[in-house]
Structure formats: C-alpha cells, structure tokens
Amino acid sequence: MTNRDRFLDFCQKQLSKPYILGSTGPATFDCSGLFYCALTTLFTEQIPRISTDQFALGVEVELAQILPGDLLFFDTGWTDRVPNHNGVCIGNGKMINANSHGGKVIEEAFMTGYWSSRIIGVRRIFDAHGKLDLFGKHSQVASFTDVLPTHTQYAEIEALRKQGVVRGFADGTFHPDQTVTRAEALKIILLCFEIPLLDADASLFSDVSDKDWHVTYITTAKKRGFTNGYVDGTFRPSNEINRAEIAKLLFEIGNVNAPQGISDIPDVPSDAWYCQYALASRKRKMFHFVGKKFLPTKSVTRGEMCQAIVRFREYKNG
C-alpha cells in the first residue's frame, strides 16, 4: 500500500464523524483538521494547521489533471482568508471533506453543484509512485525554455530544476535574469531545505497580510529565528533581495555556522552585520566577486540565487 493509499484509506475511515470547527480529531474534525490529523498521524509530518496555509504544500496542478489523493481548495466566503476550505479527491469527481453544512465528514461531488464554482486550486502532495511529497521535489518539470546551455548559471539552474527546488512559471520559462524579491527567495530556500511550514501569523510584520501568498513562509522564517525583518516592524516582502541578505538566509536556514573574522574584502567592513556571511560566501564561491568586492547591496537574480544555493550545498556536503 502506497502513502497515497494509506492517506485515502484513513480519510475514508473518518466518514460520518462529526464536524466541529477547530477540531483535529480523532473523534471530530473541521476541514483542514482532517488532513492535519491524517498527515501527522500516518507520516509524523509537521504541517500547517489551517486550509489557507496548507495551500502552500505540494505542487499546483490543473483541475483537469486532478487525481485521487490531490487536495482541493475552496473559497466559501466565510472568512477573508483564502482559501478557507479543503477536501481530498477520491476520483470520479468526488471528494471527502468535513464541513458545517453537512455537519460531518462526508463524500460529495466537487465538479458540479455548490463546490464547483468555489474551487481556488488543486495541490498534489504525492508523487507519481504514491509517495508523500509535501514539497513537490519529486515532480517532473521540463527544461526551462529560456535557459540555454550558454547561460552563466545554466548548470546550477538545471541542477535545482531536476531536484524540484525551482519550478519556474506556467509558460515553461524561468526568467533567470529577473531579480528576486525577499519573499520569493525565502520561499525557495525554505522549500529547498524542506523546513516544515508553520501556521500563518500576519501580526508578526506590519506589512504582511493574512491574504498574502507569502505569509506562511514569512511566519515560518520569523518563528524559527531565520529572520527578524526591519527595526520598524516591517518585512518588505516585495523588495529585491541583495547578496548580503540571501547569504544570511542560506547559512541560517541551511544550519551552517559562518564564523566571525576580520574582513579583507574591500567593501565589507569587519563590523558589518553581514561580514561573516560575505567571508563564508567567498570561500564557497557562491557569488561572482567583482574586483574582489562582495557588492553586499547588489540585487540577486533568479539565476544567481540558484548558483548561491548549489554552491552552498555542494560545499556543505563536500
């Protein structure tokens, strides 16, 4: 029996158990509580508690490609947070879900009727062999159409593509020379190191809303001590990330000590907060130094981010 079969079997066995908002079983459930219970019980995985945050799991698939075991997400309108309800596909246009209108865990159609117009998206959390794949790292992604072998970071981008760390855009492109925002970089690095995601808490930063796609990743990074944001209480998720910031994230999230040292890098003062990360980055050849300079405030492109990740990991594992 595959992981997917065990998951579906678990959900089937909960049919008719009462719905109670906020409950995670084993006697009663709410919608996300059902899958929280299933995944933590069967696989001892740490996953987000609510539907809005569970939407960050796995990989996105088109509704037309849905398979048994895929999670469906909906907007029922009962709260501003979207999505706010979920169910699991069991095949033939039906799903199992716990909801208030049924008052229990039930099996019902999602392609017609009430649910069909409220579908937000589908997330696949099992790979082609039925193995649990909460980070989508086993899903196959075709080569990016805009990353040619002549590109400076071709090898690093391809390596991360094959590992499922980067997925690109819906049109098959990657945009290797496009700069990366703080939120985008944070998401990729957290998923790269398979850091369990925590429930969203938009109160941590004044410029992060519970409607933002990145709230779960930012919450996780903050609560796990990877980032503190700015002294004014903001995170500035849409700002372009620079070399100093991405280097710090890699060493912090990758759980590698970057020892303090006296700087001999022209544009890195020894008392700068990023000095240790700049020195360690140079040792690992994570960035291209220009005239021996680190260029700490230089924005990082998507290709450069891949290079930094691959070289950081190669050195760590070497």
Side-chain angles (χ1 to χ4, degrees):
M1 180 179 286
T2 66
N3 290 165
R4 178 171 50 225
D5 294 334
R6 293 172 61 203
F7 177 68
L8 289 170
D9 182 65
F10 181 95
C11 294
Q12 287 279 358
K13 289 178 178 177
Q14 313 315 310
L15 287 171
S16 297
K17 288 187 177 180
Y19 169 92
I20 295 182
L21 182 63
S23 180
T24 59
T28 60
F29 299 96
D30 66 10
C31 62
S32 56
L34 174 61
F35 308 123
Y36 179 86
C37 181
L39 294 171
T40 55
T41 300
L42 295 175
F43 311 113
T44 62
E45 293 284 351
Q46 185 176 356
I47 69 164
R49 166 66 183 89
I50 62 175
S51 301
T52 313
D53 302 330
Q54 290 175 1
F55 193 54
L57 298 175
V59 295
E60 183 178 6
V61 295
E62 296 294 330
L63 182 60
Q65 300 173 326
I66 194 168
L67 295 173
D70 290 347
L71 297 183
L72 288 138
F73 290 84
F74 306 88
D75 178 13
T76 63
W78 78 277
T79 176
D80 288 339
R81 289 189 299 185
V82 176
N84 43 51
H85 184 76
N86 60 358
V88 59
C89 174
I90 57 174
N92 298 318
K94 292 186 177 181
M95 68 175 178
I96 290 175
N97 73 121
N99 60 64
S100 57
H101 80 269
K104 58 185 177 181
V105 180
I106 60 175
E107 177 183 311
E108 58 185 325
F110 63 83
M111 293 296 286
T112 58
Y114 174 83
W115 296 111
S116 62
S117 62
R118 292 168 170 80
I119 298 173
I120 293 295
V122 180
R123 307 294 294 188
R124 181 158 295 161
I125 60 172
F126 297 95
D127 67 16
H129 304 289
K131 182 179 179 180
L132 186 66
D133 187 19
L134 288 179
F135 296 94
K137 296 182 73 173
H138 303 145
S139 300
Q140 294 299 311
V141 178
S143 297
F144 301 121
T145 57
D146 61 342
V147 182
L148 303 178
T150 53
H151 193 278
T152 305
Q153 287 93 27
Y154 173 79
E156 290 85 359
I157 294 170
E158 273 293 284
L160 295 187
R161 178 191 67 78
K162 290 176 180 177
Q163 294 168 24
V165 174
V166 295
R167 307 193 62 82
F169 298 93
D171 62 358
T173 61
F174 183 70
H175 302 178
D177 301 317
Q178 177 178 302
T179 53
V180 186
T181 68
R182 286 166 52 80
E184 290 169 339
L186 186 58
K187 173 186 175 181
I188 290 171
I189 296 173
L190 286 172
L191 296 184
C192 173
F193 291 100
E194 299 188 5
I195 304 300
L197 302 177
L198 304 178
D199 289 342
D201 183 355
S203 68
L204 297 176
F205 296 103
S206 60
D207 58 347
V208 176
S209 163
D210 59 11
K211 295 181 181 180
D212 293 332
W213 67 264
H214 48 248
V215 62
T216 303
Y217 305 106
I218 292 174
T219 298
T220 300
K222 170 65 174 175
K223 289 189 173 181
R224 294 193 182 281
F226 300 142
T227 183
N228 291 314
Y230 293 90
V231 293
D232 63 357
T234 63
F235 183 77
R236 306 176 194 175
S238 298
N239 281 17
E240 294 177 351
I241 196 166
N242 61 42
R243 288 185 170 192
E245 293 170 329
I246 207 166
K248 179 181 185 294
L249 282 179
L250 277 169
F251 282 95
E252 293 294 322
I253 297 176
N255 194 29
V256 173
N257 181 47
Q260 296 283 356
I262 302 300
S263 174
D264 61 346
I265 303 175
D267 59 344
V268 178
S270 293
D271 60 353
W273 67 263
Y274 53 83
C275 176
Q276 65 195 101
Y277 305 112
L279 291 171
S281 295
R282 181 179 62 179
K283 191 173 184 179
R284 289 160 173 76
K285 299 181 180 178
M286 290 163 54
F287 303 100
H288 174 60
F289 277 56
V290 180
K292 298 184 178 182
K293 292 183 178 181
F294 177 58
L295 306 178
T297 61
K298 182 180 183 296
S299 296
V300 178
T301 67
R302 291 168 61 81
E304 290 171 335
M305 175 189 63
C306 291
Q307 175 179 304
I309 291 172
V310 168
R311 296 187 180 182
F312 171 84
R313 294 171 65 182
E314 285 178 345
Y315 191 93
K316 176 185 176 183
N317 297 329

